[in-house]
């Protein structure tokens, strides 16, 4: 698809970038292409060069970037803390990047199948330098499926490894992992070569997700203990240790309805979930379902969740400029603190990660918005963490001076990642217990969308900071602002 965009004037809906580009062939059904978002329990990292964009805490967005170049790699940025990065972008570890048509196709497709009975035979096949998937059935028997070049597809690989075959480095540094620690040694449940996305180079530019990625020797190995099987048509297939889960919503984003979570196999088939995340037995084949990604599809890698957005979908989504206009409109209404009688103001989006003197605060139980004050303080309480062993979030509990309800009292933060919004409505709702602000439909959508957590649990999560949302009574509250008295 040819998409002529040369100046900033005709790219106002893409106000992230000052685009200076000649015609570039881009992925997508229409508009500027295919986009992804990633949500994670911890820090995420990706590969990119050239662009510097805003991003949000705990979400990674893969956009179709417009820039001069030959289009031979993914572009984007690493997530930060609701709009900014704590330590800057370095190398491939960034929060947002783009998939666009490569100068030369690098896709592969199955070709020859070898049944090998000795280690020597296996080495002979792997030494050919072709991509292959090895299914070890026993010590004496291995099935190797060779892959040949496919001129009609481009392949992009995602995983924790920093080796060159990985286009998008995602690291979960939970546990003892620290900021700045080498991601290759930090604890992680994400596979080193987690998955691969294969995009058709011609209309309709369908993108499909597959479990597992090829390593530096162009191989995927499913060992003797891995879950694998032979299908009725004779081809081998299998699952990765922690699995790659997918959920396709219906009607996203206008009339969104959550779909069922499924597991994707190494060959791209769709199955019901295993009893546990790394269980030894696969689920039932989901007849008629596809691994083709659509706008709003969620892909979970057991430590990071990707949200796939299409260019067509983002053309209908708010932009950063639109969110800034909504912020200014809120501030122009001069909301007041009923206690201090001071005028409140949301900080500008680039500074929306640090507290300011006029920052709005909210009583999450009732939704009344105040300024920061010490009235009605109660003992601190640790909010639910979602699972056993999790500490959750320590919140300050206060008694609201307007309605006397007691509950968490937290600062409000505008959600700065446009791609997670499902509409361009006014930011009048906040997630509980973190206090990130967005539109009503956006808050209710994510509060009703459980994401995989642990070995078999699911829970809704704030798309801006990854905090687990409260389940009582819901994960959001409607904000009640007090107008000026004059």
């Amino acid at each position: 698809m040819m998409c002529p965009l040369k100046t900033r004037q005709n790219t106002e809906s893409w106000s992230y970038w000052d685009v200076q580009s000649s015609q570039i062939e881009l992925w997508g059904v229409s508009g500027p292409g295919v986009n992804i978002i990633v949500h994670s329990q911890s820090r995420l990292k990706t590969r990119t060069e050239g662009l510097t964009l805003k991003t949000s805490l705990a979400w990674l967005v893969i956009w179709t970037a417009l820039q001069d170049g030959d289009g031979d790699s993914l572009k984007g940025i690493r997530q930060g803390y609701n709009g900014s990065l704590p330590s800057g972008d370095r190398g491939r570890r960034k929060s947002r990047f783009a998939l666009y048509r490569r100068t030369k196709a690098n896709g592969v497709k199955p070709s020859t199948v070898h049944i090998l009975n000795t280690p020597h035979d296996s080495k002979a096949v792997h030494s050919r330098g072709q991509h292959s998937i090895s299914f070890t059935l026993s010590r004496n028997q291995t099935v190797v499926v060779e892959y040949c070049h496919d001129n009609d597809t481009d392949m992009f690989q995602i995983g924790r490894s920093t080796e060159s075959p990985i286009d998008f480095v995602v690291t979960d540094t939970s546990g003892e992992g620290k900021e700045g620690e080498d991601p290759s040694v930090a604890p992680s449940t994400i596979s080193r070569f987690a998955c691969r996305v294969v995009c058709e180079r011609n209309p309709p530019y369908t993108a499909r997700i597959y479990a597992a990625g090829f390593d530096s020797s162009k191989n995927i190995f499913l060992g003797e203990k891995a879950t694998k099987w032979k299908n009725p048509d004779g081809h081998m297939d299998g699952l990765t240790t922690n699995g790659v889960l997918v959920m396709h919503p219906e009607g996203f984003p206008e009339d969104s309805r959550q779909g069922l979570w499924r597991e994707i196999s190494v060959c791209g088939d769709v199955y019901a979930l295993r009893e546990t995340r790394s269980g030894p037995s696969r689920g039932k084949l989901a007849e008629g379902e596809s691994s083709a990604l659509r706008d709003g599809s969620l892909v979970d890698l057991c430590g990071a969740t990707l949200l796939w957005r299409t260019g067509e979908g983002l053309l209908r989504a708010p932009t950063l400029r639109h969110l800034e206009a909504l912020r200014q409109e809120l501030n122009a209404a001069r909301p007041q603190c009923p206690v201090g009688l001071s005028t409140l103001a949301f900080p500008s989006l680039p500074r929306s990660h640090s507290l300011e003197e006029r920052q709005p605060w909210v009583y999450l139980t009732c939704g009344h918005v105040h300024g920061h004050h010490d009235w009605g303080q109660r003992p601190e309480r640790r909010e639910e963490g979602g699972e056993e062993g999790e500490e959750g979030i320590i919140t300050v509990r206060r008694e609201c001076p307007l309605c006397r309800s007691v509950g968490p009292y937290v600062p409000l933060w505008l959600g700065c990642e446009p791609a997670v919004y499902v509409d361009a409505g006014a930011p009048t709702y906040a997630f509980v217990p973190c206090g990130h602000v967005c539109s009503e439909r956006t808050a209710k959508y994510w509060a009703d969308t459980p994401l995989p957590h642990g070995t078999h649990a699911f829970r809704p999560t704030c798309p801006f900071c990854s905090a687990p949302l409260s389940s009582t009574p819901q994960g959001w509250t409607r904000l009640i602002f007090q107008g000026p008295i004059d």
Side-chain angles (χ1 to χ4, degrees), residues 43-242:
R43 295 178 291 274
L44 301 178
K45 308 181 182 191
T46 76
R47 174 182 181 180
T48 186
E49 298 170 1
L51 289 178
T52 301
L53 310 185
K54 301 289 180 187
T55 182
S56 62
L57 169 65
W59 285 87
L60 178 139
V61 184
I62 302 177
W63 302 80
T64 298
L66 306 179
Q67 71 165 56
D68 294 321
D70 55 10
D72 62 353
S73 65
L74 302 180
K75 305 292 180 183
I77 338 175
R78 176 192 168 188
Q79 76 175 33
Y81 287 76
N82 192 30
S84 63
L85 299 175
S87 58
D89 297 332
R90 296 186 180 88
R92 290 178 291 165
R93 300 175 192 138
K94 302 176 183 180
S95 66
R96 188 183 306 134
F97 67 100
L99 282 72
Y100 58 92
R101 183 167 174 164
R102 298 181 186 271
T103 302
K104 182 178 179 181
N106 73 330
V108 293
K109 57 186 177 182
S111 59
T112 308
V113 178
H114 303 273
I115 300 177
L116 311 177
N117 297 314
T118 67
H120 180 269
D121 293 337
S122 179
K123 290 181 180 180
V125 171
H126 292 149
S127 66
R128 299 181 184 182
Q130 289 183 270
H131 289 82
S132 65
I133 301 180
S134 299
F135 301 88
T136 302
L137 305 181
S138 66
R139 291 185 178 182
N140 299 321
Q141 189 175 50
T142 299
V143 176
V144 178
V145 180
E146 281 192 312
Y147 278 64
C148 63
H149 182 68
D150 184 0
N151 289 320
D152 297 323
T153 62
D154 284 343
M155 181 173 65
F156 305 92
Q157 300 206 138
I158 301 170
R160 177 171 52 89
S161 173
T162 57
E163 295 181 30
S164 58
I166 294 297
D167 299 287
F168 168 22
V169 180
V170 181
T171 53
D172 182 344
T173 53
S174 58
E176 299 301 319
K178 304 296 182 182
E179 177 71 38
E181 186 175 25
D182 184 351
S184 63
V185 299
S188 178
T189 53
I190 301 173
S191 172
R192 296 176 65 245
F193 301 91
C195 68
R196 59 197 192 276
V197 177
V198 177
C199 300
E200 295 178 357
R201 293 173 62 86
N202 301 304
Y205 306 105
T206 303
R208 292 181 172 82
I209 187 83
Y210 297 81
F214 295 98
D215 61 19
S216 296
S217 58
K218 299 182 179 181
N219 297 315
I220 295 174
F221 293 95
L222 293 181
E224 195 171 344
K225 295 182 179 180
T227 302
K228 53 191 172 301
W229 61 91
K230 179 181 287 188
N231 285 302
D233 61 2
H235 82 267
M236 294 294 299
D237 204 348
L239 305 175
T240 56
T241 301
N242 290 328

Side-chain angles (χ1 to χ4, degrees), residues 21 23 38 71 87 131 189 308 317 407 441 457:
S21 172
Q23 291 184 331
V38 173
S87 58
H131 289 82
T189 53
W308 180 271
R441 285 186 54 211

